[in-house]
Amino acid sequence: MARLETEYKEKILPALIEQFGYSSVMQAPRITKITLNMGVGGAVADKKVLQSAVSDMEKISGQKPVVTLARKSIAGFKIRDDMPIGCKVTLRSDRMYEFLDRLISISIPRIRDFRGLSPKSFDGRGNYSMGVKEQIIFPEIDYDKIDALRGMDITITTTAQTNEEGLALLKLFNFPFKN
């Protein structure tokens, strides 16, 4: 079992039940999945760009990403239907907790000029989204072997009903929010 999963069951869950006054353990919010998404606009001109993005994401997440395809043609961007333009990974259970642990304790502190994550990035239903400008903050990526700096979106999906519950859940996981 992952370190953060045991911490959730032993410390975070009782704290959430006490804070919000839930009558059942199942009412307390929990993290259901983490989705990593990388849009690669340069894949239109060069197919190798997408392959290197997929390999980077595979190293970061520990599982093989799904290549995402364009839904419709956009002439201005030279994109046609079903053209590969990105990749995504959905992490659940043990892999999710392992990734969250590495994200909080190793990767986020490596972000340049980091002053904390915005607590306003919740979607209204307790899910949190954040963007990463460069993939080199992850220790799995070798700095000398990357061809370009690529960003990615990280979405943490929770069972929380409101933003306050989601914020409380992530704060108990030691997420570095701005004050």
Side-chain angles (χ1 to χ4, degrees):
M1 197 184 300
R3 183 181 71 89
L4 280 184
E5 191 173 5
T6 55
E7 189 176 313
Y8 172 76
K9 288 179 180 166
E10 292 170 6
K11 296 176 186 161
I12 297 172
L13 195 59
L16 285 170
I17 291 171
E18 184 183 321
Q19 182 179 350
F20 291 103
Y22 297 123
S23 57
S24 169
V25 179
M26 296 306 286
Q27 284 180 306
R30 63 185 176 278
I31 298 175
T32 53
K33 66 182 177 180
I34 296 177
T35 311
L36 308 175
N37 179 33
M38 190 183 286
V40 188
V44 175
D46 189 10
K47 298 281 187 253
K48 289 179 184 160
V49 175
L50 185 68
Q51 288 172 348
S52 62
V54 167
S55 71
D56 282 354
M57 187 165 294
E58 194 168 357
K59 289 175 195 160
I60 291 167
S61 65
Q63 72 186 45
K64 193 171 187 296
V66 175
V67 174
T68 55
L69 306 174
R71 288 192 213 135
K72 60 183 181 180
S73 299
I74 303 170
F77 296 122
K78 296 179 180 158
I79 294 175
R80 290 194 200 94
D81 272 358
D82 298 330
M83 215 178 209
I85 55 168
C87 56
K88 68 177 181 180
V89 169
T90 303
L91 303 170
R92 296 176 197 273
S93 65
D94 287 343
R95 280 208 180 115
M96 172 188 73
Y97 281 110
E98 291 292 334
F99 175 78
L100 189 66
D101 196 5
R102 283 184 288 129
L103 180 72
I104 295 169
S105 57
I106 300 168
S107 300
I108 290 178
R110 291 176 63 168
I111 297 175
R112 262 187 285 135
D113 301 331
F114 183 69
R115 291 188 183 86
L117 296 170
S118 170
K120 295 178 182 169
S121 296
F122 283 92
D123 66 350
R125 298 179 185 269
N127 304 319
Y128 186 76
S129 295
M130 62 180 271
V132 174
K133 288 194 176 99
E134 39 195 42
Q135 82 273 35
I136 55 172
I137 64 164
F138 294 98
E140 297 87 3
I141 303 295
D142 187 13
Y143 182 77
D144 299 328
K145 293 189 176 144
I146 60 166
D147 55 347
L149 290 176
R150 275 186 220 89
M152 68 174 65
D153 302 317
I154 301 172
T155 303
I156 300 168
T157 308
T158 65
T159 58
Q161 301 296 317
T162 62
N163 288 350
E164 293 79 40
E165 291 176 357
L167 182 65
L169 173 68
L170 293 181
K171 273 189 176 171
L172 288 169
F173 271 114
N174 294 327
F175 238 73
F177 287 111
K178 288 180 196 166
N179 291 337

